[in-house]
Amino acid sequence: MICAYDKVYLDKARIALGRMLDFAVYDLKYDIAEFFELFIQSGVGPRFEKGDFTLLVGMSGTELAYEVLEQSGINNDRVRPNYTIDRSEEFWTGWALAYYQWETSISFAEIVRNIPIRDIMALYSPYHEMDIRQFTDKMNELYRAAKPETNLKLRRQNIGLTQRELSQLAGVPIRTIQQYEQRQKNINKAQAEYLVMLARALYCEVTDLLDKSF
């Protein structure tokens, strides 16, 4: 598994994202979906997901929220955060989502395009009481349902190749390509030689073909 950034930053990143959403909703009075869209569009989200340590460990959740507003060109009076005694659903959403993004390396934009953040928050009960890996499994299930096509199939279709044409061009058996596209075989465990040949034929990187939610 290729994770988004060094695990040493993960715990603080999860807390920062959770606090950011809690603060944005309860203190800044934003709708969670609206603020998360600002997080992505401001460029803060892409920096966060790529492991920018100035965001992951250099800012509190409150500071992260104000960074989003600043980068979005929005002026907002500074207010004192009033953190809830118990973790809010919004806090848990950011906390859990940060883990999922780290583990899969799927961008925040791609995640919420397929699983809206309100749907993620709706998983709070019962998943906040479960191991985070069970949340990850559920997210993978939802992601595959929303995006049933594999990256291999999408890449192949985008450049207009049939499975047979790709097989001939890459030198990979057509049955193997079919099994990867139908998820009968896990492409993440494919022979390195096959991955290199397929990536070369599809003009992409090997990592572009991996199924991050397998």
Side-chain angles (χ1 to χ4, degrees):
M1 180 68 70
I2 301 174
C3 297
Y5 46 84
D6 195 307
K7 191 175 183 179
V8 70
Y9 300 126
L10 180 59
D11 286 344
K12 289 186 177 179
R14 295 173 71 186
I15 292 171
L17 199 65
R19 290 294 191 198
M20 181 196 79
L21 289 181
D22 182 278
F23 179 69
V25 171
Y26 290 100
D27 296 292
L28 298 180
K29 307 304 180 183
Y30 274 88
D31 173 81
I32 188 171
E34 179 187 0
F35 194 84
F36 202 75
E37 184 63 22
L38 287 177
F39 173 67
I40 294 169
Q41 295 301 324
S42 66
V44 176
R47 288 169 53 201
F48 189 101
E49 69 199 21
K50 291 174 183 176
D52 184 337
F53 69 91
T54 63
L55 300 178
L56 301 184
V57 299
M59 292 187 180
S60 67
T62 300
E63 292 168 332
L64 193 60
Y66 282 122
E67 177 71 7
V68 169
L69 295 179
E70 182 178 337
Q71 295 302 320
S72 301
I74 299 172
N75 294 320
N76 202 103
D77 293 336
R78 299 272 168 164
V79 298
R80 181 186 297 275
N82 294 304
Y83 295 128
T84 53
I85 296 175
D86 297 321
R87 289 183 175 181
S88 66
E89 293 183 16
E90 290 79 6
F91 176 93
W92 176 85
T93 300
W95 180 83
L97 184 54
Y99 182 91
Y100 184 71
Q101 190 281 319
W102 170 81
E103 183 171 272
T104 62
S105 295
I106 304 173
S107 70
F108 287 119
E110 175 73 5
I111 292 170
V112 298
R113 180 161 47 246
N114 291 283
I115 314 171
I117 196 165
R118 288 188 176 282
D119 292 351
I120 297 172
M121 188 165 66
L123 297 176
Y124 175 80
S125 182
Y127 286 93
H128 75 288
E129 297 180 337
M130 298 183 183
D131 188 281
I132 191 63
R133 288 169 293 185
Q134 293 174 284
F135 167 76
T136 297
D137 289 343
K138 181 62 176 180
M139 286 288 288
N140 283 339
E141 176 188 324
L142 295 173
Y143 187 84
R144 286 193 296 269
K147 186 183 177 183
E149 307 295 6
T150 63
N151 289 331
L152 174 61
K153 184 173 182 177
L154 291 172
R155 289 274 176 178
R156 176 180 62 77
Q157 291 179 331
N158 285 344
I159 63 174
L161 292 176
T162 64
Q163 291 177 335
R164 185 170 301 280
E165 289 170 337
L166 177 58
S167 173
Q168 294 170 343
L169 188 61
V172 176
I174 186 172
R175 179 58 184 151
T176 298
I177 292 173
Q178 291 170 341
Q179 289 173 324
Y180 290 150
E181 291 193 356
Q182 295 167 9
R183 289 195 173 97
Q184 293 174 358
K185 281 188 175 181
N186 185 349
I187 195 170
N188 298 351
K189 299 179 180 179
Q191 298 178 33
E193 181 183 8
Y194 279 179
L195 288 172
V196 170
M197 291 189 296
L198 287 168
R200 185 179 299 126
L202 294 169
Y203 304 101
C204 66
E205 300 294 329
V206 166
T207 53
D208 294 329
L209 301 179
L210 300 181
D211 192 340
K212 296 174 181 176
S213 64
F214 204 98

